Every structure is written in structure tokens, then in C-alpha cells.
Amino acid sequence: MAATASPAPAPAPSPSPSHRRSLRKRRTIIVTAAATAAGIGAGILVLNANAASTTATVDLYHQTLAAKDGWASSGTGTTGGAKADAAHTFTVSTRAQLVKALGSTSDTTPRIVKIKGPIDANTDDSGEKVSCAEYSSGTGYSLAAYLKAFAPSAYGTSKLPSGTQEKARAAAQAKQGKNIIFRVPANTTVVGVPGTKAGITGGMLQIQSVDNVIVRNLTFAATQDCFPQWDPTDGDSGNWNSQYDAVTLRGATHVWADHNTFTDAPGLDTSDPAYYGRQYQIHDGDLDITKGSDLVTVERNQFTNHDKTMLIGSSDTDSVGKLRVSIHHNVWKGIVQRAPLARIGQIHIYNNFYDTTNLNGYVLQYSVNSRAKAQVVAEDNYWKIPASQKVGKLFSGDGTGSIAGGGNLVNGTATDLVAAYNAANSKKLKTTVNWTPTLKAGLETSAKNLPTELATTTGAGVLS
């Protein structure tokens, strides 16, 4: 299914049940054959009946993105595997089962993959744990040898590592990647079974060059690279850089990420050693949207205990006319940076709650960064900050990016975050953008209640 590139996208043509909360105020009806034919899929359709005495049942597996709910509702909308037949509906609880259920990325047959319980990606086909040492076995890599080979005092600081140990490191990293990367085909819904603590530990969902994918109700924990690369040219003092985001979008279109939890726990950054005076960083992104990805809605997720959280655009030369992303009703807590870092695209950030209190050693650098001519609209978000936190550090930029919008609150007080940033920095954020958001169903024009509301309506395990 091709992505639309229309500058004025239309909402999804087929009706779909709202995923808005207040679940206790809904009633259910069985989907009729006509509704099924419309693309909703078999199951239960939730209608808002404003009936406080009833309890709703939601068919998470066939649910589709509501009309006008962010960029992913544009054009053909996002339906994932809603039309999957019984032969393409799977329940999995191991890494091997997940790989088999996802199948080939060349197979675009609609499918639903239900994850039951937590899946450890660092296991073999029989379910036995695979260690970092086992991934490096046979490659010739050892951390001690690597550190000796590329010590700045001997190797220098002007070029990337190369030679025997770097090749061995890359080979070991590739062995781990073969085990922990799960490639998602088009027209797929990957969803956690309620009440099972469903999720993926130590793995990465890769959504690459495909259209129409839904990911929801899952906990992504401790995605770790056993073999980070040393880059002496990164920054003033060099840095260790890792692979593997918990969820990565590369050239993907029409993706809806809903009610997921992302965390480094239990492998927090504070437990990592330092080499060459820099943290041995084994974590990359939580949810990165790059390589010309487009038409994405990220909503009601929790991002916590993480450094480089969400990257939109892999470089300053990523795809112009794409990278259109809506980010709303998410919680960001214990996040260092990239919430998000946005390049080039048209990004709508609304009704999010940012708690920038230091958490488990994760100390804020900034929340939102707009660079490479990104066109960001940030409105009606809420920041909770400690007394020591400077408001001017909540936004960031390179002097070319824009952030428009208003209604943002800091500790309950309306605050012009762009003005605060610009007052403290020479590279100013621009205050106008070249577009007006129209796909904003559910936008709350006051952020006042977001800390309380989102505490119980976001993240994995809320849906049932």
C-alpha cells in the first residue's frame, strides 16, 4: 500500500471505533457483517454511550485508528491487521513463535500477532538464554582487546576504529542483531494480550519500508547492544554508540503506536561502566522515526528511564516532504533528551505530560529539539519541573527549526517556552510554521489536568 503525500490529507474513509479512554462510560455492541466489510474486522465495536454504569469490552486486536487521530489517519488511514483471517491470527509467547508469526516482510497478507506475556529476545529457538559472550563466540572479539586497540592515547582521536578488532566487534553485533531484531511486515497489528504483562525484553521491532502497522499494549524493556562502537570523533571527548531501538521506523508509513511502555529497566544507565572517560552506552533509541518515514501517530505511551528517546529524521538531509508525525497524550518521565528531536518534518506535539525531575540518574538535557528546518507545533502540553530546572532548557534547536503553538504549562503556569529558550541562546528557534494541524481528534485545549489524567490512561496494561 503506497503512502499518500498529499499536503492536505483526508481522514481515513472507513469508520473505526474510538480508542479514547473513559472506558467505564461505554457500552458494547457486536460488530455487524456490514461493519466487518467496512474494514473494522470481527469482534466488538465500542460506542460512547455516556453510560457510567456499564463496563466496556474493547477488541484490541481488530481496532483501527480513529478518523482524524493524527497524521497516521491521513489518506487510507491505519488499520493494521484488522482484516486478518483465522489463518493469519497468532498468539505467541516465545521469541521463536514471534519470528514465525511475523513471517516474511514480503508477505503483505493482513495479520494479527498477539503477544502473551513477556518475550526475551536474547534466547535461542529452544528458549534458552543467549549471553553476550555467546554472541561474540567465534568472532575473535573481546572487550579487553578492543579497548587496548583503540585507546585514544595510542590510536588517536581523529578517525573511527578500523582493523581486526573493529571487524570482530561488528561481526558479534551482527550475530546479536540476527537474534533480537523482529521485522514487521505491512498490514500487521502487534498487540499485547491484556493481563499477561505482554512485551519484548532486549529486542527491537523493525518496521522498515512497509505500510499500515499497529503496535500497542506492549512493554519494551532493556533493549541493549552488547557491542557498542567507540567513536572518538563524536563530540568533544568521543562517545560509545549502540545499535537497536526498542521500536524503529525506517521508511515506514501509516504507523500507529498506542499504549506502550518504553524503559531501560532493569538495565539502567547508572549500571554501565565508563571507558576512555565516557559512559559505555548500551542503549540507543526508544522509538525512532527515520529514513523518510511518514504519517505516524504516537499516543498514550509511557517513556521512562531513558536517554536518547525519540529521533525524527536520521540526519539533516533526511526526506523533505515526509516525517509527518503526531505525538499526543504521552508521559515522559526520567528522560534525558529527544522527546522528541525533530528534523525536517511537520510534527504535532500536544497534550503530553513531561516530568523532568531527575530519576534514577537520568538528568534532563532538554525535552523538545527542533532542527534542520523542522516545523513543530507544540500546544497544550504540561511540564512538571523541579525548582532547580531552568525553563529555557525545555526546548532546544540549531537556529533553523521552528516551534509554534501555545497553551503549554510549566508547574501549572502558562509559559512561552520558545521565548524562554531564545532569551538564553544565540541560535534562536523560529516561531512560525508552514502548516496548520487539522488531524487532531481528542485535542484538549487545557493542559491543566494532564498529570492526573495521563497517570492512569497511558502505557501498557491499561487496555483490557
Side-chain angles (χ1 to χ4, degrees):
M1 182 183 296
T4 178
S6 170
S14 61
S16 60
S18 173
H19 52 273
R20 301 282 172 239
R21 296 289 63 81
S22 299
L23 292 180
R24 294 185 180 88
K25 297 182 180 180
R26 297 177 180 176
R27 60 189 171 95
T28 62
I29 63 171
I30 302 300
V31 173
T32 64
T36 303
I40 297 173
I44 294 175
L45 173 67
V46 178
L47 296 183
N48 189 345
N50 296 317
S53 61
T54 62
T55 301
T57 301
V58 181
D59 181 359
L60 306 183
Y61 312 117
H62 296 87
Q63 200 168 8
T64 60
L65 181 62
K68 297 187 177 181
D69 189 349
W71 277 114
S73 67
S74 174
T76 55
T78 302
T79 59
K83 295 182 179 180
D85 57 20
H88 293 88
T89 301
F90 310 90
T91 299
V92 303
S93 57
T94 69
R95 185 196 66 84
Q97 290 172 353
L98 177 56
V99 170
K100 183 177 180 180
L102 290 172
S104 170
T105 55
S106 64
D107 184 355
T108 61
T109 306
R111 73 189 60 223
I112 295 171
V113 180
K114 306 176 186 180
I115 295 181
K116 186 175 182 180
I119 291 177
D120 187 344
N122 288 292
T123 53
D124 61 20
D125 288 347
S126 63
E128 294 297 318
K129 185 71 176 178
V130 180
S131 67
C132 293
E134 289 173 288
Y135 289 130
S136 64
S137 178
T139 66
Y141 172 83
S142 81
L143 179 58
Y146 191 89
L147 292 173
K148 182 178 179 180
F150 303 113
S153 59
Y155 185 77
T157 60
S158 62
K159 58 182 179 179
L160 284 170
S162 63
T164 302
Q165 269 301 303
E166 171 56 20
K167 290 179 180 178
R169 184 206 63 81
Q173 188 180 66
K175 283 181 67 176
Q176 184 185 14
K178 186 176 181 179
N179 213 60
I180 72 170
I181 296 175
F182 303 101
R183 294 172 173 82
V184 182
N187 306 316
T188 295
T189 294
V190 183
V191 58
V193 176
T196 68
K197 299 182 179 180
I200 298 174
T201 299
M204 178 173 86
L205 279 187
Q206 180 172 293
I207 307 169
Q208 180 169 340
S209 302
V210 297
D211 181 75
N212 193 30
V213 173
I214 295 172
V215 179
R216 54 195 323 228
N217 203 41
L218 294 166
T219 294
F220 295 93
T223 301
Q224 300 175 354
D225 183 351
C226 291
F227 311 102
Q229 182 189 41
W230 172 244
D231 182 354
T233 69
D234 184 354
D236 296 333
S237 304
N239 275 302
W240 292 94
N241 294 313
S242 60
Q243 297 289 326
Y244 316 130
D245 309 317
V247 177
T248 189
L249 278 59
R250 302 172 183 173
T253 53
H254 289 109
V255 178
W256 177 31
D258 168 61
H259 279 95
N260 302 292
T261 295
F262 297 84
T263 179
D264 288 352
L268 303 179
D269 280 356
T270 51
S271 63
D272 295 339
Y275 301 117
Y276 308 150
R278 303 297 292 168
Q279 179 192 350
Y280 191 64
Q281 179 58 266
I282 60 175
H283 303 111
D284 196 11
D286 270 344
L287 198 171
D288 281 5
I289 303 165
T290 63
K291 307 289 186 182
S293 292
D294 198 22
L295 306 177
V296 179
T297 297
V298 180
E299 67 174 298
R300 296 194 180 271
N301 303 281
Q302 288 196 7
F303 299 91
T304 184
N305 293 306
H306 195 78
D307 186 351
K308 297 176 286 188
T309 305
M310 182 183 294
L311 181 65
I312 301 175
S314 54
S315 72
D316 290 355
T317 57
D318 208 319
S319 303
V320 174
K322 298 184 179 180
L323 299 171
R324 292 175 290 181
V325 182
S326 298
I327 303 167
H328 70 86
H329 292 93
N330 301 283
V331 171
W332 313 75
K333 187 174 183 179
I335 297 303
V336 177
Q337 60 180 315
R338 301 186 182 181
L341 184 156
R343 291 183 170 108
I344 299 171
Q346 296 175 334
I347 296 96
H348 194 195
I349 304 169
Y350 65 93
N351 293 157
N352 295 276
F353 173 49
Y354 296 86
D355 184 345
T356 68
T357 307
N358 296 350
L359 179 66
N360 295 323
Y362 294 90
V363 180
L364 179 78
Q365 290 184 18
Y366 65 83
S367 292
V368 179
N369 183 305
S370 179
R371 59 192 307 108
K373 300 182 180 180
Q375 303 289 302
V376 176
V377 177
E379 56 183 331
D380 301 303
N381 302 286
Y382 192 111
W383 272 264
K384 175 185 175 183
I385 69 172
S388 59
Q389 178 69 58
K390 294 182 179 180
V391 175
K393 290 186 66 176
L394 299 180
F395 282 175
S396 183
D398 67 347
T400 71
S402 301
I403 302 182
N408 297 302
L409 305 183
V410 177
N411 293 341
T413 300
T415 305
D416 188 337
L417 299 180
V418 173
Y421 169 81
N422 284 345
N425 293 275
S426 59
K427 294 183 178 180
K428 310 297 184 183
L429 285 166
K430 301 179 186 302
T431 59
T432 59
V433 295
N434 60 10
W435 70 296
T436 300
T438 59
L439 303 173
K440 53 183 181 180
L443 171 66
E444 301 173 55
T445 55
S446 172
K448 180 180 179 180
N449 297 323
L450 290 176
T452 301
E453 173 199 335
L454 298 184
T456 57
T457 59
T458 57
V462 173
L463 300 175
S464 60

